[in-house]
Amino acid sequence: MTTRIFGSGIRRREDPRLITGGATYTDDVTLPGMVHAAILRSPHAHARITSVDTAAAGAAPGVIAVYTGADVEGALAPIPCAWIPPESDVKPVAHPAVAKDVVRYQGDAVAVVVAETRYQAEDALELIEVGYEPLPAVVNPVAAMADGAPQLHEDAPGNQAFHWVATGGDPDAAFAEADVVVSDTIVQQRLVPNAMEPRSALANWLGSMGELTIWSTSQNPHICRFLTSLITGVPEHKIRIIATEVGGGFGSKIPVYADEMIAAFCAMRLGRPVKWTETRSENFLATIHGRDHVERVEMAATRDGKITGVRSVVHAGMGAYLSTAAPGVPTILHGLMYSGPYALTGTRADIYGVFTNATPVDAYRGAGRPEATFLLERLVDLVAAELDLDPVELRRRNLIPKFDSGYDVVPGLTYDSGDYEGALDMALEHVGYAGLREEQASARERGQYVGIGVSCYCEICGLGPSQVAGAVGFGGGLWESAVVRFHPSGKVNAYVGVSPHGQGEETTFAQVVSDTLGVPVEDVDIVHGDTGNTPMGWGTYGSRTTAVGAGALFLGLNKIKDKARALAAHLLEAAEADIEYADGQFFVRGAPDQSKSIQEIALMANVAWNMPEGMEPGLEASAFYDPPNFVYPFGAHVAVVDVDPDNGHIVLRRYVAVDDCGPQINPMIVEGQVHGGVVQGAGQALWEGAVYDDNGQLLTGSMQDYALPKAHMVPDIETLSSETPSPHNPLGVKGIGETGTIASTVTIYNAVIDALKPLGVTRLEMPLTPERVWQAIHQQS
Amino acid sequence: MTLLWGNIILLAHSALGAEFYRRILLANPAVEGLALKIQMTVNGQSREADVEPRLLLVHFLRENLGLTGTKIGCDTSQCGSCVVRMNGATVKSCTCLAAQADGAEITTIEGLSAGGELHAVQEAFWNKHGLQCGYCTAGMIMTAVELLERNPNPTPEEVRQGLEGNICRCTGYHNIVQAVLAAAEANSATSSG
């Protein structure tokens, strides 16, 4: 028996070009006559611009043009925010592509130079004289809403960008009736996504045809095209966005930024192709950041260890402007997940979005769900400590029992399927939990501090039903589409609207095609990332590419199969009802020698010499999939740390991840997603954090100052999985791109707090640097 | 000018750089506009060009020679996406002037499988899913090749330490480490077989 291709960990089809240096990312593209743009950025976090003198820059060697805010005003519409949650009083303040009057964060664009070479463009930036009148700045979201704080926008009094409240069930009753209430203040520090490929855009304007082509580092080229049309005024059908090879995103390449639009503006003005590529320093300043919450949170429980309610008041820093999807992150993707994997009776999320003089924040891997999981799993540990229960035991008493088709939780969501305790059991058994607790006890006797952190999570992804998208203020749909085309030779291209950038869907989608229609996987190529040759789709983020995009693909394949069956019946002179399908062969029931292969049918459909009455030529299908619900992956993670009390140093010794994303198309790729996600979440727990001084100067503005995880800082990640299909997804699949990040930050945090328990340390702020740990230990003693 | 002075500061940290500083920059205060003739062997081919003294090696490779497999991931020499081999040693080509490579033998990712056959390390990265977005991959592979030449049978810990100068944001390093270990194993199987 042959191994089924669906579920097989075959190596990736995209890799040969990537391991040989043959891939073409945006900055690798060169066009005839191409020139280079460099952007001058504000050194101040908040200042009035009093003058801009570009004369010297304009006269510098190689310089073709210098543009300021005055030149761009009117030519480029303000950069829009595209997620406006209803009933939350969102202040969609204007975000000019190039600042003209006021700069509101360090990194705000002030001018652009276009020159023959990149070196010349950067040289000329230094010759632009900008007069600034510095204004007071504020970077902390709580401070920004305090009386007397510096004001960023006239039409956002008190710097309030929005106020969103979601109440589920009866939280006040849960708290009124609670035997135990625990609370904490959690700082979800600002993070810098740091995709390895910096953002880049190459804009080409064909004036004679009115056509604008932009090679762009986008996770969602079709959204990018839509918004580029709104910003530049070029009609959508005259714009082509190409994002076929993108070097990581993690959310940071969802937004449509000023910079790419500036490149388009320059190209349209000059009639020459204009390339702009950010430096890493610019990436730190001008590409979105993530998280930045200050949360006051509390949990209610009964004496016998039943948790009942969760409430929060969150100040979510938005930075200086509302980025493309920013308001949806701390609200819809966060506040609706307060029940987590537990059965609660009341939840309330009270979320303030706050303008600050800092880089705009937007979706960063996990986007809202890591913060929700963190506060739940942190509070559960606090309840366990309060009741003197093992944290695992407390979780067991509260996990939603196994269900396979629908479970309503109080925030108003219906989870699709779950086996939370099964995942927990698997993680504990694998890690050897009982033995670890014994080891921990004996280590403590020797003055060594071992910590064990446990978390359970479930998350919302596979975004999502378009009707819900509309209801929650998302400025687009969330369905996907695919076109499947059989060529005469039986080879297949599938064109998809999603836009993978490292997640491996060229492979997994080809596996779905091969599995469904029996063509060898080598005979299938997946085309994505170019609006010029792919059907409409909403992009790759929110762990939706496989759950939604492969859903559309699968529906298209089934249409092909139906047509192929009808054509086979015609060619075999049999009734359609008598045609069976197996392994790429359509055959007459009971007479398997009377068959046509899918390749033969593809040829006959394409030449169309002998079609049934009324059947169109060709073997091609287009399909759309609008999911009826989100998908809800889940799992349980365990971290083991050693903390050295003498110097505060933490070693992440083991990490066990049990994740359930339903059936896995390619387990090797699933594991890879978990590995990377876990380490990114570990980065937040232990090392990463964007630090501003009080004047809004980013102190962690490069990889020298911002500590990203490196190979020697992390252990092997021990991955396991269970398989609980989603009842409503055509393939049963759920997303896996973000689960690692959603679970790992709090798992590691809980492990460190667990290690320090005998020393009296009960809370710490992230990242858990040795200095912070050491200080906390010494404040106790 | 930022690029120029940044490079001079970086150069001052290396003996080669000091020599360059003495020979070129002090002798020619008006370095802008000055072209230096350089010659190097890149992936086995002799290449000559007139370049600005401040031109970085990575820009020379990518823009003058069109070898875009070498990537630029940061501007502070942390990420290792730009690692190439210069006379056998790994260098971060964003922290090295093209002029410093004058006379050198350079190997980039494109030169690793020049004969059409994948290098054992490339094959192992493919087999072990040692890459996702692929952007750090050229630098990772070039570093791993050199690491295995120095230490043909590294422990997992030695691999992790050896990759300390290369940042990957996608893989969590797990499969990169597995790939390097698998390449070591494949190499030793080949040499003992």
Side-chain angles (χ1 to χ4, degrees), chain B residues 71-92:
Chain B
K71 301 300 180 203
I72 303 170
C74 71
D75 33 48
T76 49
S77 194
Q78 255 70 46
C79 82
S81 300
C82 65
V83 167
V84 300
R85 309 210 40 198
M86 189 197 288
N87 298 326
T90 51
V91 296
K92 289 183 170 171

Side-chain angles (χ1 to χ4, degrees), chain A residues 21 49 75 197 256 331 354 373 434 492 521 535 605 622 663 698 709 735 737:
Chain A
I49 298 171
E197 179 203 26
V256 172
T331 53
V354 189
T373 300
V492 186
V521 73
S622 171
L698 183 63

Side-chain angles (χ1 to χ4, degrees), chain A residues 421-494:
Chain A
E421 196 161 9
L424 179 61
D425 286 337
M426 189 185 286
L428 296 176
E429 189 189 327
H430 177 83
V431 80
Y433 185 70
L436 277 173
R437 285 289 176 206
E438 286 166 22
E439 183 199 328
Q440 179 183 47
S442 61
R444 279 177 184 165
E445 285 169 20
R446 297 190 303 272
Q448 291 170 350
Y449 296 89
V450 176
I452 305 156
V454 179
S455 76
C456 296
Y457 77 90
C458 88
E459 67 117 337
I460 179 170
C461 68
L463 317 179
S466 297
Q467 203 178 345
V468 176
V472 300
F474 182 78
L478 282 169
W479 48 267
E480 278 306 326
S481 73
V483 172
V484 184
R485 182 175 300 155
F486 270 77
H487 305 299
S489 60
K491 314 293 184 194
V492 186
N493 278 120

Side-chain angles (χ1 to χ4, degrees), chain A residues 82-105:
Chain A
W83 196 343
I84 311 289
E87 293 169 41
S88 49
D89 192 23
V90 178
K91 309 289 190 195
V93 298
H95 179 192
V98 179
K100 184 168 137 282
D101 304 313
V102 178
V103 289
R104 293 188 174 85
Y105 68 99

Side-chain angles (χ1 to χ4, degrees), chain A residues 506-584:
Chain A
E506 289 177 34
T507 303
T508 50
F509 281 21
Q511 288 178 264
V512 171
V513 174
S514 174
D515 182 68
T516 311
L517 288 175
V519 286
V521 73
E522 306 76 46
D523 289 356
V524 185
D525 263 1
I526 306 298
V527 179
H528 64 81
D530 181 347
T531 62
N533 61 13
T534 60
M536 178 64 198
W538 295 92
T540 286
Y541 48 82
S543 300
R544 66 188 301 279
T545 308
T546 300
V548 187
L553 175 64
F554 186 64
L555 297 185
L557 295 168
N558 284 329
K559 287 186 182 179
I560 296 259
K561 199 188 254 182
D562 289 344
K563 180 170 182 178
R565 188 191 307 274
L567 182 52
H570 175 74
L571 295 171
L572 294 167
E573 297 178 349
E576 196 178 328
D578 291 336
I579 300 295
E580 294 200 340
Y581 168 83
D583 299 331

Side-chain angles (χ1 to χ4, degrees), chain A residues 40-75:
Chain A
L40 183 68
R41 299 188 181 280
S42 166
H44 298 284
H46 200 191
R48 198 173 304 286
I49 298 171
T50 55
S51 62
V52 185
D53 181 350
T54 62
V63 171
I64 298 158
V66 184
Y67 300 114
T68 66
D71 299 308
V72 171
E73 192 179 46

Side-chain angles (χ1 to χ4, degrees), chain A residues 11-16 18-23 25 27-28 36 118-120 122-123 126 192-198 245-248 250 279-282 364-365 501-503 668-669 671-673 675-677 679-680 688 702-704 706 708-712 714-718, chain B residues 1-4 7 32 52 54-56 59 62-63 68-76 78-79 81 109-113 118 122-123 125-138 141 156-157 159-161 163-175 177-178:
Chain A
R11 57 186 190 170
R12 297 200 318 171
R13 326 197 48 235
E14 38 276 86
D15 286 3
L18 298 169
I19 57 178
T20 56
Y25 298 82
D27 191 51
D28 301 337
H36 299 264
R118 182 182 191 139
Y119 283 48
Q120 290 168 333
E122 289 199 24
D123 286 346
E126 305 217 343
V192 183
N194 271 306
M196 290 313 298
E197 179 203 26
E245 200 78 83
V246 176
F250 315 111
T279 62
R280 180 59 57 183
S281 310
E282 280 182 291
Y364 168 58
R365 200 171 193 172
H501 42 278
Q503 299 88 342
M668 180 189 75
I669 289 176
E671 282 169 19
Q673 289 295 305
H675 297 152
V679 169
Q680 239 166 0
E688 296 181 39
S702 77
M703 287 181 176
Q704 282 180 308
Y706 183 95
L708 291 164
K710 294 184 175 183
H712 66 293
V714 290
D716 279 351
I717 309 300
E718 301 165 52
Chain B
M1 287 302 283
T2 315
L3 286 167
L4 175 60
N7 293 343
E32 276 184 86
E52 271 191 273
R54 62 175 176 168
L55 183 71
L56 295 171
H59 287 140
R62 287 177 54 81
E63 283 162 29
T68 55
T70 302
K71 301 300 180 203
I72 303 170
C74 71
D75 33 48
T76 49
Q78 255 70 46
C79 82
S81 300
I109 188 73
E110 290 94 340
L112 205 56
S113 52
L118 292 179
Q122 290 171 308
E123 190 80 37
F125 268 67
W126 190 9
N127 291 338
K128 294 291 178 184
H129 189 27
L131 60 144
Q132 290 180 25
C133 83
Y135 199 81
C136 75
T137 306
I141 289 177
E157 188 51 35
V159 173
R160 288 185 178 276
Q161 292 294 341
L163 297 175
E164 190 259 356
N166 294 69
I167 296 175
C168 170
R169 195 59 159 163
C170 293
T171 64
Y173 305 102
H174 181 109
N175 283 341
V177 174
Q178 295 302 313

